[in-house]
């Protein structure tokens, strides 16, 4: 069973005129990735900005015609069982008063990124989000191959052919503009052999242009990005090419060269009986209006959004069309069908353009064995729907592949979240442990210092006691130095915390070592203090008096430590709240804290030196 | 006599076969020395909510208990049945239904601090196992929703009960294709189902 | 739920209908050859098949009418009555019903039946068949051939296994396999049983191997032994090889190269 022989032949829209839908009574626009900047009740003019893109993947929404905003709130989406999505309802007032937006007069000077952002603001959409992905444009890498995709990627679809027949010059203009700004080494317009009328319209234009016309021979999923790249890109170009839908390119041309935001698109309304109507419809027009325009009634038919093989049933004919609504399929309602078990006919495998074994994939997907599904190359499924369309048992192959891919994606996200949580939890444990050690150390240090001071003071009044005092002093200094060394040793693993378990273990081992050393330092300090006390026993009243004088020094040190701790907390907080990429935060916070601590230590060290 | 001999031969053959099978099975199994320790591998498939509902102080202690064979695999509610299945596969044991005394499973939620009520006591910060709460003494605290695992450990310590659990928000982008049903129904346009 | 909105190939029910349609010339010839008793045999075999299928479906707690509507039981009955023209009616009913119950329903319905019920039914009936010299039935063979070609043209015949079988029979002509070509059972089993999916490997390569192996086994049996009935021998070979189909699948089926 070969693909070309069973796919319905493409028919040219040639003889059919491009219809224009009458102004609908209500427009329903979705605000995905865009935040609304108008209010309910406000009058808006055609082309006026209604919502601004609020993420990298959203595009702005403009008013398709003049009228009043009637509601802003959740609307049903054109997806099966999807939750409501925020949208706005615009009631046209029939005047079609337009805001005149200036064209970009100096467009050749635009950079790729500026162009991408301009297109986002003009509401020009590509496959996923803005026509030119912002992340790609920001990299500003030289482009080897730019493919403008005019291949009709569904049976019965004629929208792109229609656009090329009607607006060949405008499309050529837009392509020249893109070629000028993006400077691709090769600019190609891909079209399928069956789209004869469109090829004819372009042939005359392609002669003296910077782009070439590539006529594709391959059958159906030839319009997929991956398939086009495989067919057109030379090996050296394949990593560095971009594929844009021709409708988006046309809209980009209108937006940049004429200052018209994208507010309409061409939709094919087909009954699959060689009867297709193409119409230019305002974005947000209810599906029912399009059907009426094509002379069909939404009451008697089943509606499919998005083409015959990949489309899905629309729950509701009041849903407004959006930038991806290239095709509406109207079918007679079918009797309920029941899927039968797989008879292992192998037809799905022989038709699959990705050379998969859909029957094995389905077996594993339907039993939720995602790892096995991955083994059978679920990731390579282009979700073209051919296997579902030929399966004699009418199994929901495509549906289960879509579901399984999404489950895989979800599992991946969950794994990422769990990994992040693990890292944070381990770091927290490490931090608690370290804080405990540090506290012990601080106490030891303080005791050592106090002892040193005591020894000093004990030594000062009586000259004959000097030898013992210096000995005690020395011992105290050694203890302090050891304590410092221990602390420093403990800092070392802190530079790269808990990156993996072995390093973590090393850190913990170092901590333990530090604890032992701290304990030793403590013992030494205690000993020193004892000796100092012994030495000073003769002069108890003097010591008691001098103790008060010691306090400011100690207080200073304490303050420095408190400051350090506060610094660390601040640094942690700042790091935690600064960037969404939270994986590195712990590391950053730790480094910041270590730096703050080092500064504090230095300050404290200076102080003790001054004290001496 | 021959019967006994034959029986002996049969036993010998079975023994030999068993030996061959066992050694080949050992050869086929991945070398355990190159893998991380079992507790680490178990920890890698636990959900890291760190909630302690399994009766251990966190996921890693539970993983260590599992590795020592001291606990059963059906005690982690956040991991769900899927988690039990993964554990069963990793530990080469049978799937077990949830332990009768395990807390019930709940949908994923994140903590939310009522910022008007928070007195800045820092008790919740000390309870949070993943440092998902920000704030300092006598300042209002807040939860980093992206980092919160929904473990509910911060609820109990709060002296003014200002922390509540909210379902993890479901974005339109979180939409999934529904599970394919085997009976395919004709579409009824116009009826908003 | 998403519906595959356009269908590019016939459904299971319509496939089975067309397979039945392709048998029409053969049925006509058989009626002409055997007269009204053949009609009676056909009708009672069909009734018994439908009864057995509904029983099995009910036992497996499946919806009965959607299962029957697929027409597989009917196809089995027609094939068996074409294969066993001279069997007594009760025997025919018994082996039709028995094959459907044992080989289809017991294995979990169509698609899971590892052994084809028609081949199994033929084997069930074999001990009671009147022994006699096989006679070549050229008209019936031609009618079946025509039906098979029509199926091929409609794209409904998975041709690899039958091709493998025919290739072997043609190559073995010097050994004296020519008489097999006149046997209607050969054509029937090749066109309607060997092209079934669940009892054969799923990959084209596996099916070719399956067909060739069946041909070789069958020819060695009929030439080396005195078993005169080509149909029963071939059916036995098919059943034998069906058991190896999962193995062939394992050998020939792979996820393919990663891209
Ligand atoms: S949907 Fe996937 S598995 Fe099915 S034919 Fe297309 S690529 Fe192959
Ligand atoms: S087309 Fe359908 S019935 Fe045939 S092998 Fe594929 S899944 Fe099974
Ligand atoms: S119950 Fe909580 S702490 Fe225990 S393993 Fe599961 S998520 Fe981790
Ligand atoms: S904020 Fe509360 S619920 Fe969330 S992870 Fe921290 S302690 Fe658990």
């Amino acid at each position: 069973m070969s693909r070309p022989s069973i796919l319905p032949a493409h028919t040219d829209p040639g003889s059919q005129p491009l219809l224009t839908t009458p102004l609908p009574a209500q427009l329903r626009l979705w605000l995905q990735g865009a935040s609304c900047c108008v209010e309910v009740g406000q009058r808006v003019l055609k082309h006026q900005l209604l919502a601004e893109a609020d993420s990298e993947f959203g595009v702005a929404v403009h008013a398709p015609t003049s009228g009043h905003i009637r509601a802003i709130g959740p609307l049903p989406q054109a997806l099966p069982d999807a939750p409501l999505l925020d949208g706005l309802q615009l009631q046209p007032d029939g005047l079609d008063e337009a805001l005149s937006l200036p064209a970009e007069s100096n467009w050749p000077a635009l950079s790729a990124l500026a162009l991408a952002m301009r297109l986002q603001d003009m509401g020009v959409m590509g496959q996923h989000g803005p026509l030119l992905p912002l992340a790609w444009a920001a990299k500003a890498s030289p482009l080897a191959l730019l493919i403008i995709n005019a291949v009709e990627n569904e049976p019965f679809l004629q929208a792109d052919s229609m656009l090329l027949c009607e607006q060949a010059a405008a499309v050529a203009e837009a392509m020249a503009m893109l070629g000028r700004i993006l400077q691709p080494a090769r600019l190609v317009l891909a079209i399928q052999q069956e789209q004869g009328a469109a090829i004819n319209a372009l042939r005359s234009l392609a002669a003296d242009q910077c782009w070439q016309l590539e006529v594709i021979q391959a059958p159906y999923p030839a319009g997929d990005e991956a398939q086009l790249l495989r067919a057109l890109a030379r090996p050296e170009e394949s990593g560095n090419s971009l594929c844009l839908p021709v409708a988006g390119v046309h809209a980009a041309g209108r937006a940049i060269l004429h200052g018209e935001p994208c507010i309409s698109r061409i939709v094919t309304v087909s009954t699959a009986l060689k009867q297709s109507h193409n119409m230019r419809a305002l974005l947000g027009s209810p599906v029912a209006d399009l059907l009426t325009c094509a002379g069909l009634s939404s009451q008697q038919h089943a509606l499919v959004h998005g083409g015959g093989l990949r489309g899905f049933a629309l729950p509701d004919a009041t849903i407004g069309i959006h930038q991806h609504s290239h095709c509406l399929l109207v079918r007679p309602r079918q009797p309920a069908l029941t899927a039968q078990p797989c008879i292992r006919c192998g037809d799905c495998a022989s038709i699959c353009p990705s050379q998969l074994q859909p029957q094995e994939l389905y077996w594993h997907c339907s039993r939720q064995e995602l790892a096995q599904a991955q083994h059978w190359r679920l990731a390579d499924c282009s979700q073209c729907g051919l296997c579902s369309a030929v399966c004699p048992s009418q199994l929901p192959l495509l549906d289960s592949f879509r579901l399984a891919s999404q489950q895989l994606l979800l599992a991946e996200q969950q794994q990422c979240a769990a990994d992040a949580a693990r890292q944070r939890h381990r770091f927290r444990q490490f931090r608690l442990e370290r804080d405990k050690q540090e506290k012990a150390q601080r106490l030891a240090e303080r005791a050592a210092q106090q002892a040193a001071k005591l020894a000093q003071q004990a030594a000062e009044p009586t000259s004959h006691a000097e030898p013992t005092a210096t000995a005690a002093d020395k011992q105290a200094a050694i203890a302090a130095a050891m304590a410092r060394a221990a602390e420093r040793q403990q800092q070392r693993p802190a530079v790269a915390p808990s990156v993996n378990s072995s390093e973590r273990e090393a850190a913990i081992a170092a901590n333990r070592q530090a604890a032992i050393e701290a304990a030793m330092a403590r013992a030494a300090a205690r000993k020193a203090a004892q000796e100092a006390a012994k030495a000073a026993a003769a002069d108890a009243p003097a010591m008691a008096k001098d103790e008060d004088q010691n306090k400011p020094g100690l207080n200073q040190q304490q303050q420095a430590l408190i400051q350090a701790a506060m610094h660390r907390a601040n640094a942690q907080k700042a790091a935690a709240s600064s960037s969404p990429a939270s994986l590195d935060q712990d590391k950053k916070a730790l480094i910041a804290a270590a730096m703050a601590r080092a500064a504090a230590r230095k300050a404290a060290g200076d102080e003790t030196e001054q004290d001496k | 006599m021959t019967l006994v001999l034959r029986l002996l031969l049969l036993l010998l053959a079975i023994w030999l076969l068993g030996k061959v099978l066992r050694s080949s099975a050992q050869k086929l199994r991945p070398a355990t020395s190159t893998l991380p320790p079992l507790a680490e591998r178990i920890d890698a498939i636990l959900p890291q909510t760190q909630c302690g509902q399994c009766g251990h102080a966190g996921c890693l202690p539970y993983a260590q208990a599992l590795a020592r064979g001291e606990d059963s695999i059906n005690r982690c509610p956040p991991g769900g049945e899927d988690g039990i299945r993964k554990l069963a596969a990793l530990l080469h044991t049978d799937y077990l239904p949830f332990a009768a005394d395990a807390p019930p499973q709940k949908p994923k939620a994140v903590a939310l601090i009522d910022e008007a009520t928070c007195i800045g006591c820092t008790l919740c910060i000390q309870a949070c196992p993943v440092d998902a709460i920000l704030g300092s003494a006598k300042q209002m605290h807040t939860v980093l929703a992206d980092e919160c695992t929904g473990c509910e450990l911060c609820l109990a310590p709060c002296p003014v009960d200002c922390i509540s659990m909210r379902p993890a928000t479901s974005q339109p982008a979180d939409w999934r294709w529904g599970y394919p049903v085997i009976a395919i129904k004709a579409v009824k346009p116009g009826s908003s189902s | 739920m998403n519906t595959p909105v356009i269908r590019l190939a016939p459904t299971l029910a319509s496939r089975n209908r067309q397979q039945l349609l392709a048998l029409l010339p053969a049925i006509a010839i058989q009626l002409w050859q055997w007269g009204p008793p053949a009609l009676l045999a056909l009708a009672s075999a069909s009734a018994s098949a439908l009864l057995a299928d509904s029983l099995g479906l009910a036992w497996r707690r499946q919806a009965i009418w959607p299962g029957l509507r697929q027409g597989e039981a009917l196809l089995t009955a027609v094939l068996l009555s074409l294969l066993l023209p001279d069997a007594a009616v009760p025997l025919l009913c018994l082996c039709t019903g028995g094959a459907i119950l044992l080989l289809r329903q017991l294995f979990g319905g169509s698609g899971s039946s590892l052994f084809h019920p028609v081949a199994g039914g033929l084997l069930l009936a074999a001990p009671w068949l009147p022994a006699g010299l096989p006679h070549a039935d050229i008209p019936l063979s031609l009618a079946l051939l025509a039906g098979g070609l029509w199926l091929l043209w409609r794209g409904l015949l998975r041709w690899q296994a039958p091709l493998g079988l025919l290739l072997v029979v043609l190559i073995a002509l010097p050994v004296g396999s020519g008489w097999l070509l006149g046997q209607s059972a050969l054509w029937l089993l090749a066109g309607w049983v060997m092209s079934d999916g669940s009892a054969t490997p799923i990959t084209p390569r596996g099916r070719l191997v399956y067909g060739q192996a069946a041909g070789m086994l069958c020819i060695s049996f009929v030439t080396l032994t005195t078993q005169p009935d080509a149909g029963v021998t071939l059916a036995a070979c098919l059943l034998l090889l069906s058991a190896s189909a999962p193995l062939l699948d394992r050998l020939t089926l792979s996820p393919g190269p990663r891209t």
Side-chain angles (χ1 to χ4, degrees):
Chain A
M1 195 180 295
S2 67
R3 264 181 286 154
S5 68
I6 62 164
L7 280 167
H10 173 85
T11 47
D12 258 331
S15 51
Q16 301 263 353
L18 178 62
L19 308 173
T20 308
T21 49
L23 203 57
Q26 192 121 54
L27 295 170
R28 290 157 191 250
L29 297 150
W30 286 310
L31 304 172
Q32 187 159 29
S35 49
C36 193
C37 52
V38 287
E39 280 154 20
V40 176
Q42 186 180 339
R43 175 158 196 267
V44 294
L45 298 180
K46 184 179 178 173
H47 294 170
Q48 185 176 336
L49 186 68
L50 300 183
E52 283 171 318
D54 62 2
S55 79
E56 193 190 330
F57 303 107
V59 297
V61 179
H62 297 260
T65 182
S66 65
H68 291 89
I69 305 291
R70 284 289 170 238
I72 301 174
L75 291 177
Q77 291 187 74
L79 286 172
D81 302 331
L84 302 183
L85 179 63
D86 270 352
L88 46 80
Q89 296 187 19
L90 175 74
Q91 188 178 24
D93 57 11
L95 301 174
D96 210 25
E97 267 181 80
L99 207 65
S100 69
L101 294 182
E104 199 80 42
S105 55
N106 192 19
W107 63 263
L110 286 178
S111 68
L113 185 58
L115 176 69
M117 288 165 69
R118 189 91 193 96
L119 291 178
Q120 187 183 28
D121 293 342
M122 288 300 235
V124 182
M125 226 176 182
Q127 282 288 345
H128 325 274
L131 181 69
L132 293 175
L134 292 188
W136 172 85
K139 271 189 292 175
S141 53
L143 189 59
L145 173 65
L146 177 59
I147 302 174
I148 312 292
N149 181 2
V151 177
E152 302 287 16
N153 208 12
E154 274 283 356
F156 315 121
L157 189 55
Q158 299 177 347
D160 286 351
S161 299
M162 195 77 210
L163 176 72
L164 285 175
C165 292
E166 292 280 317
Q167 305 274 343
V171 170
E173 193 183 57
M175 281 197 290
M177 186 266 299
L178 283 182
R180 179 83 186 268
I181 295 178
L182 301 179
Q183 296 287 343
R186 205 152 67 93
L187 178 54
V188 163
L189 180 82
I191 199 162
Q192 213 163 11
Q193 200 175 24
E194 288 81 25
Q195 297 164 271
I199 297 179
N200 288 341
L202 285 166
R203 273 267 152 73
S204 52
L205 287 167
D208 52 337
Q209 296 281 358
C210 58
W211 45 269
Q212 307 139 19
L213 197 64
E214 286 278 357
V215 181
I216 307 264
Q217 313 270 348
Y220 159 58
D224 275 354
E225 223 163 276
Q227 300 264 354
L228 267 188
L229 283 176
R230 216 169 298 151
L232 294 179
R234 300 173 190 142
E236 70 274 13
E237 291 170 340
S238 56
N240 191 11
S241 33
L242 199 61
C243 186
L244 303 178
V246 71
V249 169
H250 173 251
R254 300 305 297 172
I256 299 296
L257 304 175
H258 304 274
E260 289 170 17
C262 180
I263 52 164
S264 66
R265 73 151 297 135
I266 296 183
V267 184
T268 303
V269 179
S270 170
T271 55
L273 297 169
K274 301 204 175 184
Q275 199 188 28
S276 295
H277 306 271
N278 296 288
M279 54 193 74
R280 185 163 274 284
L282 296 180
L283 297 183
S285 309
V287 168
D289 280 38
L290 272 71
L291 297 194
T292 320
C293 177
L296 299 161
S297 141
S298 61
Q299 294 306 311
Q300 295 156 8
H301 295 96
L303 279 181
V304 177
H305 180 278
L309 289 171
R310 299 189 218 222
F312 32 78
L314 270 191
D316 188 348
T318 62
I319 282 175
I321 63 156
H322 54 87
Q323 301 221 7
H324 291 313
S325 313
H326 48 36
C327 186
L328 285 174
L329 206 58
V330 184
R331 309 262 298 159
R333 287 196 211 160
Q334 292 158 332
L337 303 167
T338 4
Q340 293 290 314
C342 169
I343 56 164
R344 292 182 73 74
C345 64
D347 286 354
C348 51
S350 62
I351 200 156
C352 174
S354 313
Q355 276 100 46
L356 305 180
Q357 300 289 340
Q359 78 283 358
E360 305 292 321
L361 258 180
Y362 176 72
W363 172 255
H364 295 300
C365 287
S366 62
R367 295 157 55 105
Q368 303 277 300
E369 298 167 351
L370 295 183
Q372 275 300 310
Q374 261 175 319
H375 171 70
W376 286 94
R377 297 201 293 147
L378 178 61
D380 286 349
C381 169
S382 62
Q383 309 193 342
C384 66
L386 281 172
C387 50
S388 284
V390 299
C391 175
S393 297
Q394 311 184 57
L395 291 169
L397 298 170
L398 175 61
D399 291 11
S400 57
F401 301 159
R402 277 174 172 159
L403 178 75
S405 331
Q406 268 168 339
Q407 281 173 332
L408 269 182
L409 206 68
L410 191 71
E412 222 165 81
Q413 283 166 357
Q414 273 173 352
Q415 190 61 49
C416 276
D419 288 345
R422 181 184 302 114
Q423 184 134 352
R424 285 178 82 86
H425 179 61
R426 289 191 175 178
F427 173 67
R428 178 187 148 90
Q429 284 179 324
F430 168 72
R431 176 170 62 79
L432 291 181
E433 180 76 5
R434 191 194 54 200
D435 285 355
K436 221 193 283 169
Q437 312 265 336
E438 260 169 25
K439 209 163 158 193
Q441 216 140 30
R442 273 201 303 275
L443 285 175
E445 232 175 308
R446 212 180 306 156
Q449 235 133 32
Q450 207 170 5
K453 294 256 166 65
L454 286 179
Q456 233 172 11
Q457 262 129 35
E460 264 164 20
T462 45
S463 57
H464 71 270
E466 216 168 352
T468 19
T470 34
D473 200 10
K474 227 182 265 171
Q475 254 175 345
I478 291 169
M482 272 170 73
R484 264 205 304 278
E487 196 185 357
R488 215 169 299 132
Q489 203 171 10
Q490 193 190 338
Q491 300 306 313
R492 222 176 291 141
V495 177
S498 60
V499 174
N500 59 34
S501 61
S502 65
E503 276 179 46
R504 208 170 61 85
E505 257 145 38
I508 290 169
N511 266 350
R512 207 169 296 134
Q513 182 69 23
I516 293 168
E517 276 168 34
M520 277 167 67
R522 254 194 325 268
R526 212 176 299 133
K527 209 168 148 199
Q530 268 168 10
E531 268 171 46
K534 234 183 266 165
D539 217 325
M543 188 192 83
K545 217 184 283 168
D546 287 342
E547 223 172 25
D548 286 350
Q549 282 172 4
N550 270 341
K551 266 187 183 157
L554 270 181
N555 279 352
Q556 262 178 5
Q557 212 182 353
Q558 247 166 358
Q559 260 164 10
L561 281 167
I562 290 168
Q563 255 172 11
M566 274 168 67
H567 267 184
R568 198 173 49 218
N570 280 345
Q572 247 167 20
K573 217 189 290 181
S577 57
S578 63
S579 72
S582 58
L583 272 177
D584 280 350
Q585 280 170 10
D586 299 339
K587 232 183 270 180
K588 269 192 239 155
L590 194 68
I591 293 167
M595 277 166 67
R597 237 188 346 266
R601 206 167 49 231
K602 210 172 147 200
D606 288 349
E607 263 169 31
T608 38
E609 261 170 34
Q610 275 168 14
D611 277 2
K612 276 179 195 168
Chain B
M1 192 60 223
T2 43
L3 191 71
V4 174
L5 209 65
R6 274 189 199 162
L7 269 179
L8 274 179
L9 267 177
L10 191 70
L11 282 179
L12 190 73
I14 289 175
W15 178 75
L16 268 178
L17 196 69
K19 208 157 166 63
V20 168
L21 279 181
R22 195 164 318 140
S23 67
S24 64
Q26 268 163 5
K27 240 173 248 161
L28 286 177
R29 205 173 297 155
T32 36
S33 59
T34 59
L35 291 172
L38 184 58
E40 289 281 330
R41 279 180 288 151
I42 298 174
D43 191 43
I45 53 178
L46 290 177
Q48 305 300 321
T49 308
Q50 314 291 2
C51 60
Q53 293 181 69
C54 50
H56 296 267
C59 299
L60 187 60
Y62 181 43
Q64 283 159 344
L66 283 180
R68 289 191 301 264
E70 285 167 6
D71 209 338
S72 57
I73 58 173
N74 54 355
R75 309 211 138 263
C76 169
E81 310 223 321
D82 225 31
I84 300 181
R85 248 177 227 115
K86 281 192 207 158
L87 285 174
L90 177 66
L91 298 174
H92 304 292
T93 57
D94 287 335
Y95 169 82
L96 292 173
F98 261 110
D101 52 339
Q105 273 179 273
K106 290 181 201 160
K108 170 136 168 61
V110 294
L112 184 77
I113 295 183
D114 176 11
E115 302 183 339
T117 323
C118 173
I119 53 170
C121 65
T122 73
L123 288 176
C124 56
I125 296 193
Q126 290 162 38
C128 180
V130 291
D131 285 343
I133 304 183
L134 280 184
S136 59
K138 305 214 179 112
Q139 306 288 317
M140 180 192 76
H141 289 25
T142 192
V143 174
L144 298 175
D146 281 354
E147 309 295 350
C148 173
T149 61
C151 68
E152 305 192 353
L153 292 183
C154 51
L155 300 192
C158 180
V160 289
D161 276 344
C162 70
I163 310 182
S164 54
M165 300 306 290
R166 295 288 153 90
T169 51
S170 117
Q171 303 283 326
D174 292 342
W175 170 80
R176 304 274 171 268
W177 291 97
Y179 190 77
V181 283
I182 211 82
I184 300 166
K185 284 205 198 80
V187 197
K188 292 187 204 77
S191 68
S192 48
S193 53
Chain C
M1 191 66 329
N2 173 29
T3 328
V5 282
I6 60 172
R7 289 213 50 84
L8 298 178
T11 60
L12 190 54
S14 114
R15 252 169 200 258
N16 286 335
R17 260 201 309 278
Q18 298 194 40
Q19 294 210 331
L20 272 176
L21 223 61
L23 283 175
L24 273 186
I27 295 173
I29 287 191
Q30 192 161 41
L31 286 185
W32 170 63
Q33 281 177 346
W34 296 80
L39 197 61
L40 177 70
L42 195 64
S44 42
S46 305
S48 124
L50 291 177
L51 188 70
D53 214 30
S54 355
L55 268 179
L57 284 169
W59 174 64
R60 289 195 299 124
R61 297 183 198 292
Q62 303 280 313
I64 293 182
W65 175 234
L68 287 187
R69 244 182 49 134
Q70 306 303 321
E72 290 206 338
L74 205 59
L75 187 61
T76 307
V78 173
L79 285 174
L80 272 175
S81 53
L82 282 176
L83 277 168
L84 303 168
D86 44 1
V89 171
L91 175 64
L92 184 61
C93 290
L94 213 65
C95 70
T96 312
I100 285 182
L101 271 181
L102 288 178
L103 294 182
R104 177 173 294 129
Q105 297 297 350
L106 205 62
F107 275 78
S110 66
S112 329
S113 47
L114 180 57
F115 301 106
H116 200 287
V118 171
L122 190 54
L123 225 58
L124 275 183
W128 292 281
L129 285 184
L133 276 183
H135 65 284
D137 193 343
I138 304 295
L140 193 57
S141 295
L142 283 181
L144 286 168
L145 184 59
L149 287 177
W150 180 73
L151 280 181
L152 193 62
W153 174 70
R154 302 280 304 178
L156 293 179
L157 190 76
R158 289 177 282 272
W159 46 267
Q160 291 92 345
L163 178 75
L165 174 76
L166 285 186
L167 273 182
V168 170
V169 171
L170 290 181
I171 288 172
L173 276 181
V175 193
S177 65
W179 64 276
L180 280 173
L181 292 175
Q183 298 285 313
S184 56
L186 176 97
W187 297 105
L188 216 139
L189 288 174
W192 280 260
V193 173
M194 290 178 77
S195 63
D196 178 81
S198 47
T200 57
I202 195 167
T203 55
R205 214 147 49 98
R207 284 181 183 157
L208 206 61
V209 171
Y210 173 88
Q212 288 167 341
M216 282 184 228
L217 261 187
C218 177
I219 288 174
S220 23
F221 269 125
V222 290
T223 48
L224 295 181
T225 66
T226 50
Q227 167 63 263
D229 196 331
V232 172
T233 318
L234 186 55
C237 298
L238 289 185
L239 287 182
L240 208 63
L241 282 170
S242 285
S244 74
L247 182 72
L248 274 173
D249 267 349
R250 268 193 80 104
L251 291 178
T252 53
L253 205 58
S254 79
R258 251 152 242 280
T259 53

